[in-house]
Amino acid sequence: MKTHFHLLLLALFCLGTVQAQEKTNLELTDLFDLEYVSDPQISPDGSKIIYTRNFKDIMTDRDYSNLWMVNADGSQNRPLTQGNQRDFGAVWSPDGTKIAYRSNAQDERVKLFVLYLDTKESVALTNSANAPGAISWSADGQNLAFTQFVPTSKKSLLSIPSKPQGAEWNEAPIFIEELNYRGDGSGYLPSGHSQIFTIGLSGGTARQRTFDAKNYGSPIWSADGQSLFFSANLHENSELEPANSEIYQLDLASGAITALTSRFGPDSNPSLSPDGKMIAFTGYDDSFQGYQVTNLYVMNTDGSEVKNLTAELDRDAGNPQWEANGKGIYFQYDEFGDTKIGHVALTGKIRTVVEGLGGLDLGRPYNAGTFTVSKNDRFAITQGGPEHPADLAVWIGGETNRLTAVNEDLFSYRKIGQTEEIWWESSFDGKRIQGWIVTPPDFDPNKKYPFILEIHGGPFAMYGPSFAYEIQSYAAAGYVVLYTNPRGSTGYGQEFGNAIHHDYPNHDYEDLMSGVDAVIEKGYIDSENLFVTGGSGGGVLTAWIVGKTDRFKAAVVAKPVINWTSFVLHADGAAFFGKYWFGAMPWEDIENYWRRSPLSLVGNVTTPTMLLTGEKDFRTPISESEQYYTALKLQGVESAMVRIPNASHGLVNRPSMLMSKSASILSWFNHYLTKE
């Protein structure tokens, strides 16, 4: 009897253990529990890594971040800062004894701090009203350079009579005369510019080094500490030619600024060679194409002997960092949905060193990653994938080791959808297109599932095999999701990316529909329950799709462009879109602007369509959504509009904005879903 009782207890215990470990599908509010690693900074000797650990708070609806440090072997993984605050932008001093970083820990204002690693003591060096930009150490470790916004008094031509004493008038009229008077995420821009400053470790007042009405990029120091190198557009017509930046040198003694490059096009990201004699930088010769591959260049510090090192790569090169021996440069590039670290010798020989960087975009599967390199050629990288957002990894001697698992707690009790790569040929011209299928947890290929086509923005951007909260939330709700890189996407070379030059949207439609057909051919899709959505450029294509076909049960058009004429005259960056994406202004080519506007197809739409946009979106202003919503209503189409208060284009100002976006899309699709 006793034995039977013990066996019963054991059985109940085992059952309880199994039940306790049973996983359930991801829930929308799990967004607040998702963390990710960013900005990995490896020490000069390669022994330690400082990284930013990003997290969210459900009660305050805020994003926060702290700094952590770990040994390169994964041991002693400990926080350097703690609290519901924003600590970020850590940079090692050249001798590896201290770090500079930025934080709002003291009073919500972002300040420049230095943390001494021997005592773990932090000292605030700045106390200004405006936040410092990216930080650069001088070679001797005694001085720092950074940028900071400097406000200026704004003059007005308006002569407004003053109000009587004690009168309660409306606020004074706002006088605007700049071409760029507002920016997405920034709102209406204050008067002033980003200037260069330097400050010593003793603190005090930072010294302003530039003073004119231009915006200066983040500076780096010369080897002798006598000058700074930076990227900026100091040309007189910078408003109308915003992409025409140069690499400049600022002499600290005299204040003289010398342009080191002169070609038409963007030159940026200067990186000084270990011997201080050469500068690596990125850029291209601007030919006003929608997409142009960014190359990696080197030149002497006086601007002579400029050489393109990556002309044969046909991929965008970025984040240049010198090899310690000065014989080559490490850089990162995107290819076929993956972010990689490459190496180019000064002779021009290119090789791939590390693959699998990513995980920095929580919302949608944009494959973004970054790295730093030590003096002994060790790499600290953000490592992401379909199973998890960015964690910290280290590459040493050809082997990559993952050092963190910041979401292990969440994924211990949540199931996520599985991701599968797929390729197909476009029905338009046979061009090969890459995509990824995400299936629901506990997927059974013998069953039929509703389907969502999710389309990326840009349009010059790249999806990849990355964990994405939005995609996983759709899979958790029982949908099979396809996301893809149609023509115009980056990571496939200039010809593929520029296949939509002055022709977007158009044949990317066939790329997408061919992908839908390829997934349906697998046999597990309920072809009566097809749905489509996308944001920004993906919103453009979603509106284009429902204007050309009625095969989708419902659609959500997020933050779209509907009318190209109103867009190019209403979006921020007014000098760019008409010139690069159309080659003419609306009044010069009315037919082309109208032909490419989804509004031109609204008379064909029968698909129930919901519009979704942030009310403070200045990239694709909400007036675009309002136009389409009204047109759909006038056409008698089932339609709705979702306005997200206080949200700019990215819909990530606060975590609940991203959650609300996914919840709204699922609500619309679930409403029209035909259930068995």
Side-chain angles (χ1 to χ4, degrees):
M1 190 72 176
K2 184 176 181 180
T3 302
H4 287 288
F5 180 70
H6 284 171
L7 289 174
L8 178 61
L9 285 178
L10 179 62
L12 290 173
F13 174 79
C14 292
L15 178 61
T17 302
V18 170
Q19 289 176 338
Q21 293 177 343
E22 184 179 351
K23 292 186 177 184
T24 57
N25 287 3
L26 200 71
E27 297 182 358
L28 288 170
T29 53
D30 287 335
L31 173 65
F32 290 94
D33 293 320
L34 283 170
E35 301 183 52
Y36 68 97
V37 167
S38 64
D39 196 21
Q41 295 289 323
I42 195 164
S43 61
D45 65 2
S47 65
K48 299 180 184 298
I49 302 165
I50 292 174
Y51 63 94
T52 303
R53 184 166 176 169
N54 303 271
F55 61 99
K56 305 173 189 299
D57 179 62
I58 196 169
M59 299 306 295
T60 61
D61 192 21
R62 297 291 183 184
D63 294 295
Y64 298 115
S65 57
N66 296 147
L67 299 180
W68 286 60
M69 184 166 68
V70 62
N71 290 333
D73 63 4
S75 63
Q76 296 186 336
N77 184 27
R78 300 170 181 172
L80 290 175
T81 63
Q82 297 182 68
N84 281 5
Q85 59 205 41
R86 292 180 57 243
D87 310 311
F88 62 100
V91 184
W92 287 91
S93 64
D95 63 3
T97 64
K98 48 192 172 289
I99 62 166
Y101 68 100
R102 289 166 283 169
S103 174
N104 67 348
Q106 288 186 342
D107 55 13
E108 290 297 315
R109 287 183 299 158
V110 175
K111 301 176 184 178
L112 168 58
F113 287 79
V114 169
L115 185 150
Y116 293 84
L117 293 173
D118 55 353
T119 64
K120 299 297 188 292
E121 183 181 11
S122 286
V123 179
L125 297 186
T126 64
N127 191 33
S128 58
N130 296 291
I135 307 158
S136 172
W137 286 92
S138 61
D140 62 5
Q142 297 302 306
N143 292 281
L144 296 151
F146 58 93
T147 57
Q148 187 171 280
F149 181 78
V150 176
T152 57
S153 299
K154 188 170 185 178
K155 297 179 180 179
S156 173
L157 296 179
L158 304 181
S159 179
I160 307 294
S162 59
K163 65 180 180 180
Q165 185 175 358
E168 296 183 1
W169 288 10
N170 188 39
E171 293 182 14
I174 300 171
F175 180 72
I176 296 172
E177 58 181 348
E178 301 85 5
L179 175 62
N180 300 310
Y181 60 92
R182 64 182 184 178
D184 184 67
S186 303
Y188 285 83
L189 301 175
S191 180
H193 296 86
S194 179
Q195 304 290 350
I196 293 176
F197 290 79
T198 60
I199 193 169
L201 287 183
S202 59
T205 303
R207 182 173 177 181
Q208 186 173 340
R209 298 291 189 168
T210 58
F211 300 91
D212 60 1
K214 299 291 183 180
N215 289 307
Y216 288 79
S218 299
I220 61 171
W221 292 83
S222 62
D224 60 10
Q226 301 302 305
S227 61
L228 298 171
F229 302 104
F230 61 91
S231 173
N233 185 342
L234 305 184
H235 299 288
E236 289 187 9
N237 63 342
S238 58
E239 267 201 328
L240 293 174
E241 300 289 357
N244 187 25
S245 59
E246 313 292 353
I247 306 296
Y248 294 90
Q249 182 176 21
L250 166 64
D251 182 80
L252 293 175
S254 66
I257 295 175
T258 304
L260 303 181
T261 60
S262 59
R263 53 108 176 259
F264 183 76
D267 294 322
S268 58
N269 299 313
S271 178
L272 190 68
S273 63
D275 63 7
K277 295 181 179 180
M278 301 182 73
I279 295 174
F281 64 100
T282 61
Y284 56 82
D285 293 290
D286 196 343
S287 57
F288 300 110
Q289 296 182 90
Y291 172 62
Q292 299 168 81
V293 166
T294 298
N295 289 301
L296 175 59
Y297 297 80
V298 291
M299 65 180 174
N300 295 327
T301 52
D302 63 359
S304 63
E305 299 185 34
V306 178
K307 183 180 180 181
N308 184 353
L309 297 181
T310 60
E312 302 302 317
L313 181 62
D314 196 27
R315 299 291 186 270
D316 292 305
N319 192 16
Q321 299 179 45
W322 283 84
E323 188 177 11
N325 61 17
K327 294 182 179 180
I329 302 157
Y330 297 105
F331 63 97
Q332 67 185 64
Y333 67 99
D334 293 337
E335 184 172 55
F336 305 143
D338 189 18
T339 300
K340 306 176 180 181
I341 299 175
H343 174 275
V344 59
L346 295 182
T347 60
K349 183 179 180 181
I350 299 172
R351 60 186 171 91
T352 299
V353 183
V354 186
E355 300 183 357
L357 279 68
L360 290 180
D361 193 309
L362 273 185
R364 298 165 77 188
Y366 293 110
N367 202 75
T370 190
F371 79 98
T372 55
V373 61
S374 66
K375 291 181 179 179
N376 54 354
D377 294 322
R378 294 180 172 188
F379 297 94
I381 66 174
T382 56
Q383 185 183 62
E387 300 83 13
H388 61 88
D391 271 301
L392 176 67
V394 62
W395 182 94
I396 301 175
E399 183 177 349
T400 301
N401 292 314
R402 180 178 168 187
L403 302 184
T404 66
V406 296
N407 291 293
E408 186 176 15
D409 54 344
L410 176 63
F411 294 147
S412 68
Y413 62 88
R414 292 298 193 216
K415 294 181 290 188
I416 62 172
Q418 299 300 302
T419 302
E420 171 194 349
E421 182 180 352
I422 181 175
W423 289 79
W424 64 87
E425 293 184 355
S426 172
S427 63
F428 172 65
D429 57 5
K431 195 179 296 293
R432 279 178 53 78
I433 308 297
Q434 185 183 24
W436 291 266
I437 303 168
V438 181
T439 52
D442 302 319
F443 171 71
D444 182 351
N446 296 312
K447 294 182 178 180
K448 296 286 187 178
Y449 293 86
F451 169 89
I452 296 175
L453 171 64
E454 206 282 339
I455 310 169
H456 76 58
F460 305 109
M462 184 189 77
Y463 272 168
S466 301
F467 179 91
Y469 166 78
E470 291 187 46
I471 303 298
Q472 288 292 339
S473 67
Y474 305 151
Y479 293 85
V480 170
V481 185
L482 171 67
Y483 64 88
T484 175
N485 289 327
R487 68 189 64 210
S489 301
T490 56
Y492 303 86
Q494 181 149 316
E495 186 279 329
F496 188 91
N498 224 29
I500 62 171
H501 180 55
H502 293 177
D503 194 28
Y504 162 77
N506 196 352
H507 298 301
D508 26 20
Y509 169 79
E510 283 90 352
D511 298 350
L512 295 167
M513 293 304 100
S514 298
V516 173
D517 294 336
V519 179
I520 290 175
E521 287 176 5
K522 290 182 174 290
Y524 49 73
I525 299 300
D526 177 1
S527 58
E528 298 301 314
N529 276 305
L530 306 180
F531 301 88
V532 60
T533 186
S536 193
V540 174
L541 284 167
T542 302
W544 190 259
I545 285 169
V546 297
K548 294 179 74 69
T549 181
D550 61 359
R551 69 186 299 189
F552 292 95
K553 199 73 174 292
V556 176
V557 177
K559 48 189 179 181
V561 174
I562 294 302
N563 181 340
W564 286 110
T565 295
S566 57
F567 167 76
V568 301
L569 301 177
H570 199 199
D572 64 347
F576 178 80
F577 293 107
K579 181 180 297 183
Y580 287 83
W581 288 9
F582 286 86
M585 293 296 108
W587 51 91
E588 299 169 333
D589 194 2
I590 297 173
E591 181 180 354
N592 192 28
Y593 273 81
W594 181 246
R595 175 184 65 84
R596 292 165 54 186
S597 294
L599 189 60
S600 69
L601 302 178
V602 72
N604 302 332
V605 178
T606 59
T607 304
T609 300
M610 184 172 79
L611 284 300
L612 184 152
T613 304
E615 290 191 329
K616 292 188 177 180
D617 188 334
F618 291 149
R619 180 63 44 80
T620 56
I622 199 168
S623 57
E624 293 294 309
S625 294
E626 291 168 336
Q627 290 181 64
Y628 200 56
Y629 173 72
T630 301
L632 291 171
K633 284 295 185 184
L634 292 174
Q635 283 291 112
V637 178
E638 292 180 63
S639 50
M641 179 166 54
V642 174
R643 307 167 66 95
I644 300 184
N646 303 311
S648 56
H649 188 64
L651 296 174
V652 293
N653 308 56
R654 303 182 76 167
S656 65
M657 294 177 179
L658 177 57
M659 183 191 68
S660 297
K661 176 191 176 186
S662 296
S664 298
I665 292 171
L666 281 173
S667 298
W668 187 253
F669 289 168
N670 288 340
H671 177 72
Y672 289 96
L673 178 66
T674 302
K675 300 178 181 179
E676 295 181 358

